[in-house]
Amino acid sequence: MQNNFRAISLSHKSAPVQIREIIALDEASIHSLLVKLKDFFSITDTLILSTCNRTEIYYSHDLDLSTEIIKLIGVEKGITGIVDYIEYFKIFNNDRLAIDHLFKVSMGLEAQVIGDMQIANQVKRAYQASADLDMAGPFLHRLMHTIFFTNKRVVQETAFRDGAASVSYAAVELIEELTSNTYQPRILLIGVGEIGEDVAKNMVHLPEAKVTITNRTFDKSKVLADEMGFDVIPFENAVSAMKDADVIVSSIMKSEPFITKELVSQFDIASYKLFVDLSVPRSIETSIEEVPGVLLYNVDNIRSKASETLEKRLDSIPKVESIISESIEEFYNWKKEMMVSPTINKLKNALEQIRLEEMERFLKNADEKEKAIVEKLTKSMMQKILKVPVVQLKAACQRDQADQMIELLSDLFDLEKVSEKKS
């Protein structure tokens, strides 16, 4: 019997950014946590997804291990009072609900900006991390490939992924709105990871802006700046560039805030200075808002203000949900057949054992030609005998009566005894 598929979720729907940034896992932490789950609990079919908006663990096990897994996150992150954060986690112990949630997350239905295109790649990387550690079995492999196929259908059959409505694009829309009265606004983009790079590419929607990029790895920022026609500066010049910029977008990974109130207090702000923090954990101290002329937005309060694209996506939700439902039904049909596969194999082995024993008993004095004829005849008979119970088993799956049929066949042919004898 397949272990129950479960999920533990902490997201922007259940926890504010100050909680999410404490729980957020980087690649090294995800790898370490996967190894711990494998070693401590022998968990299979495991997926860990951690983005700026969510940290989620999906796993297959016959027991609810949610509390133990949350405690392991605490160990990994060095959080002594992790139990204080349990209330922010949503637990899915129902197989179907967990699968449905993963589909919706992967399609972007659960994203902060609906239909966020980045989530598909983030899910693929999470799956690859599990596969690299042999923590993805036939169940998870089939589930993830069904999700990837569903994503293609959503792209091809709906307007849900049209346009560029993502957190990054929402940030650009916000900048456009708040700098509408500023001639050629000077924008400094700090950090060109996945989100930072996406922000840079969406800057094409601000043709009048003067954009400068900086990154700890200079070569990476240089390649992007050359591609987009932006200026680039060494990371050590970032603070100096902040003084001149009208808008500072920060999307860097750092355990401590990179932009502090003490630093910003030294700037001569004639009119305003907009800070956009797209980092989780946050890279800008919230107290900078106390500095006159400073405006601060983070991933929780960025919203797409004017977007026909967003409206189209919202209109597409019923169609997306319908596609997801079809895919889940298809996956469950496969899952049900997987449940009866061991019984079918046991039945085949039981009949094959009888066939071989009887052939050995009656063909001791037969020549090769006679043996070949009997071999062909008995194999054909066995296939015809197997056909009806196999068809009935698969039909029982569709009626959710597979358990009764498995039990009946096991008793009739004493399959457990045959299996033990073979092993």
CSV table of all heavy atoms in Angstrom, one decimal, residues 62-87:
chain,number,residue,atom,x,y,z
A,62,ASP,N,3.7,6.8,6.4
A,62,ASP,CA,2.4,6.3,7.0
A,62,ASP,C,2.1,7.1,8.2
A,62,ASP,O,0.9,7.0,8.7
A,62,ASP,CB,2.5,4.8,7.2
A,62,ASP,CG,3.6,4.4,8.1
A,62,ASP,OD1,4.6,5.2,8.3
A,62,ASP,OD2,3.6,3.3,8.6
A,63,LEU,N,3.0,7.8,8.8
A,63,LEU,CA,2.8,8.6,10.0
A,63,LEU,C,2.8,10.1,9.8
A,63,LEU,O,3.5,10.6,8.9
A,63,LEU,CB,3.9,8.3,11.1
A,63,LEU,CG,3.9,6.8,11.6
A,63,LEU,CD1,5.1,6.6,12.5
A,63,LEU,CD2,2.6,6.4,12.2
A,64,ASP,N,2.1,10.9,10.6
A,64,ASP,CA,2.2,12.3,10.5
A,64,ASP,C,3.5,12.8,11.3
A,64,ASP,O,3.6,12.7,12.5
A,64,ASP,CB,0.9,12.9,11.2
A,64,ASP,CG,1.0,14.4,11.4
A,64,ASP,OD1,1.9,15.1,10.8
A,64,ASP,OD2,0.2,15.0,12.1
A,65,LEU,N,4.4,13.3,10.5
A,65,LEU,CA,5.7,13.7,11.1
A,65,LEU,C,5.9,15.2,11.1
A,65,LEU,O,7.0,15.7,11.2
A,65,LEU,CB,6.9,13.0,10.3
A,65,LEU,CG,6.9,11.5,10.2
A,65,LEU,CD1,8.0,11.0,9.3
A,65,LEU,CD2,7.1,10.9,11.6
A,66,SER,N,4.8,15.9,11.0
A,66,SER,CA,4.9,17.4,10.8
A,66,SER,C,5.6,18.0,12.0
A,66,SER,O,6.5,18.9,11.7
A,66,SER,CB,3.5,18.0,10.6
A,66,SER,OG,2.6,17.6,11.7
A,67,THR,N,5.3,17.7,13.2
A,67,THR,CA,5.9,18.3,14.3
A,67,THR,C,7.4,18.0,14.3
A,67,THR,O,8.3,18.9,14.6
A,67,THR,CB,5.3,17.8,15.7
A,67,THR,OG1,3.9,18.2,15.7
A,67,THR,CG2,6.0,18.5,16.9
A,68,GLU,N,7.8,16.7,14.1
A,68,GLU,CA,9.2,16.3,14.1
A,68,GLU,C,9.9,17.1,13.0
A,68,GLU,O,11.1,17.5,13.2
A,68,GLU,CB,9.3,14.8,13.9
A,68,GLU,CG,8.9,14.0,15.1
A,68,GLU,CD,7.4,13.8,15.2
A,68,GLU,OE1,6.7,14.4,14.4
A,68,GLU,OE2,7.0,13.2,16.2
A,69,ILE,N,9.3,17.3,11.8
A,69,ILE,CA,10.0,17.9,10.7
A,69,ILE,C,10.2,19.4,11.0
A,69,ILE,O,11.2,20.0,10.7
A,69,ILE,CB,9.2,17.7,9.4
A,69,ILE,CG1,9.2,16.3,8.9
A,69,ILE,CG2,9.7,18.6,8.3
A,69,ILE,CD1,8.3,15.9,7.8
A,70,ILE,N,9.2,20.0,11.6
A,70,ILE,CA,9.3,21.5,12.0
A,70,ILE,C,10.4,21.6,13.0
A,70,ILE,O,11.2,22.6,13.0
A,70,ILE,CB,8.0,22.0,12.5
A,70,ILE,CG1,6.9,22.1,11.4
A,70,ILE,CG2,8.1,23.4,13.2
A,70,ILE,CD1,5.5,22.3,11.9
A,71,LYS,N,10.5,20.7,13.9
A,71,LYS,CA,11.6,20.7,14.9
A,71,LYS,C,13.0,20.6,14.2
A,71,LYS,O,14.0,21.2,14.6
A,71,LYS,CB,11.5,19.6,16.0
A,71,LYS,CG,10.3,19.9,17.0
A,71,LYS,CD,10.2,18.8,18.0
A,71,LYS,CE,9.1,19.1,19.0
A,71,LYS,NZ,8.9,18.0,19.9
A,72,LEU,N,13.0,19.7,13.2
A,72,LEU,CA,14.3,19.6,12.4
A,72,LEU,C,14.6,20.9,11.7
A,72,LEU,O,15.8,21.2,11.6
A,72,LEU,CB,14.1,18.5,11.4
A,72,LEU,CG,14.5,17.0,11.8
A,72,LEU,CD1,14.4,16.1,10.6
A,72,LEU,CD2,16.0,17.0,12.3
A,73,ILE,N,13.6,21.6,11.2
A,73,ILE,CA,13.9,22.9,10.6
A,73,ILE,C,14.5,23.8,11.6
A,73,ILE,O,15.5,24.6,11.4
A,73,ILE,CB,12.6,23.5,10.1
A,73,ILE,CG1,12.1,22.7,8.9
A,73,ILE,CG2,12.9,25.0,9.6
A,73,ILE,CD1,10.7,23.2,8.4
A,74,GLY,N,14.0,23.7,12.9
A,74,GLY,CA,14.6,24.5,14.0
A,74,GLY,C,16.0,24.2,14.2
A,74,GLY,O,16.9,25.1,14.4
A,75,VAL,N,16.3,22.9,14.2
A,75,VAL,CA,17.7,22.5,14.4
A,75,VAL,C,18.6,23.0,13.3
A,75,VAL,O,19.7,23.5,13.5
A,75,VAL,CB,17.8,20.9,14.5
A,75,VAL,CG1,19.3,20.5,14.5
A,75,VAL,CG2,17.1,20.4,15.7
A,76,GLU,N,18.1,22.9,12.1
A,76,GLU,CA,18.9,23.3,10.9
A,76,GLU,C,19.1,24.8,10.9
A,76,GLU,O,20.2,25.3,10.5
A,76,GLU,CB,18.1,22.9,9.6
A,76,GLU,CG,18.8,23.2,8.3
A,76,GLU,CD,20.1,22.4,8.2
A,76,GLU,OE1,20.1,21.2,8.6
A,76,GLU,OE2,21.1,23.0,7.8
A,77,LYS,N,18.1,25.6,11.4
A,77,LYS,CA,18.2,27.0,11.4
A,77,LYS,C,18.8,27.6,12.7
A,77,LYS,O,18.9,28.8,12.8
A,77,LYS,CB,16.9,27.7,11.1
A,77,LYS,CG,16.3,27.3,9.7
A,77,LYS,CD,17.0,28.2,8.6
A,77,LYS,CE,16.6,29.6,8.7
A,77,LYS,NZ,17.2,30.4,7.7
A,78,GLY,N,19.0,26.7,13.7
A,78,GLY,CA,19.4,27.2,15.0
A,78,GLY,C,18.4,28.0,15.7
A,78,GLY,O,18.7,28.9,16.5
A,79,ILE,N,17.1,27.6,15.5
A,79,ILE,CA,16.0,28.3,16.2
A,79,ILE,C,15.6,27.5,17.4
A,79,ILE,O,15.0,26.4,17.3
A,79,ILE,CB,14.8,28.5,15.3
A,79,ILE,CG1,15.2,29.1,14.0
A,79,ILE,CG2,13.6,29.2,16.0
A,79,ILE,CD1,14.1,29.1,12.9
A,80,THR,N,15.9,27.9,18.6
A,80,THR,CA,15.6,27.2,19.8
A,80,THR,C,14.1,27.1,20.1
A,80,THR,O,13.7,26.0,20.6
A,80,THR,CB,16.4,27.8,21.0
A,80,THR,OG1,16.0,29.1,21.1
A,80,THR,CG2,17.9,27.6,20.9
A,81,GLY,N,13.4,28.1,19.8
A,81,GLY,CA,12.0,28.1,20.1
A,81,GLY,C,11.1,27.9,18.9
A,81,GLY,O,10.1,28.5,18.7
A,82,ILE,N,11.5,26.9,18.1
A,82,ILE,CA,10.7,26.6,16.8
A,82,ILE,C,9.3,26.3,17.1
A,82,ILE,O,8.4,26.6,16.3
A,82,ILE,CB,11.4,25.5,16.0
A,82,ILE,CG1,10.8,25.4,14.6
A,82,ILE,CG2,11.4,24.2,16.8
A,82,ILE,CD1,11.0,26.5,13.7
A,83,VAL,N,9.0,25.7,18.3
A,83,VAL,CA,7.6,25.3,18.5
A,83,VAL,C,6.7,26.5,18.6
A,83,VAL,O,5.5,26.4,18.4
A,83,VAL,CB,7.5,24.5,19.9
A,83,VAL,CG1,8.1,23.1,19.7
A,83,VAL,CG2,8.1,25.3,21.0
A,84,ASP,N,7.3,27.7,18.9
A,84,ASP,CA,6.5,28.9,18.9
A,84,ASP,C,5.9,29.3,17.5
A,84,ASP,O,5.1,30.2,17.4
A,84,ASP,CB,7.3,30.1,19.5
A,84,ASP,CG,7.7,29.8,20.9
A,84,ASP,OD1,7.0,29.1,21.6
A,84,ASP,OD2,8.8,30.4,21.4
A,85,TYR,N,6.5,28.7,16.5
A,85,TYR,CA,6.1,29.1,15.1
A,85,TYR,C,5.2,28.1,14.5
A,85,TYR,O,4.8,28.3,13.3
A,85,TYR,CB,7.4,29.3,14.2
A,85,TYR,CG,8.3,30.3,14.7
A,85,TYR,CD1,9.5,30.0,15.4
A,85,TYR,CD2,8.1,31.7,14.5
A,85,TYR,CE1,10.4,31.0,15.9
A,85,TYR,CE2,8.9,32.7,15.0
A,85,TYR,CZ,10.1,32.3,15.6
A,85,TYR,OH,10.9,33.3,16.1
A,86,ILE,N,4.9,27.0,15.2
A,86,ILE,CA,4.1,25.9,14.6
A,86,ILE,C,2.7,26.4,14.1
A,86,ILE,O,2.2,26.0,13.1
A,86,ILE,CB,3.9,24.8,15.6
A,86,ILE,CG1,5.3,24.0,15.8
A,86,ILE,CG2,2.8,23.8,15.2
A,86,ILE,CD1,5.2,22.8,16.7
A,87,GLU,N,2.2,27.4,14.9
A,87,GLU,CA,0.9,27.9,14.5
A,87,GLU,C,0.8,28.5,13.1
A,87,GLU,O,-0.2,28.7,12.5
A,87,GLU,CB,0.4,29.0,15.5
A,87,GLU,CG,1.3,30.2,15.6
A,87,GLU,CD,0.9,31.2,16.6
A,87,GLU,OE1,-0.1,31.9,16.3
A,87,GLU,OE2,1.5,31.2,17.7
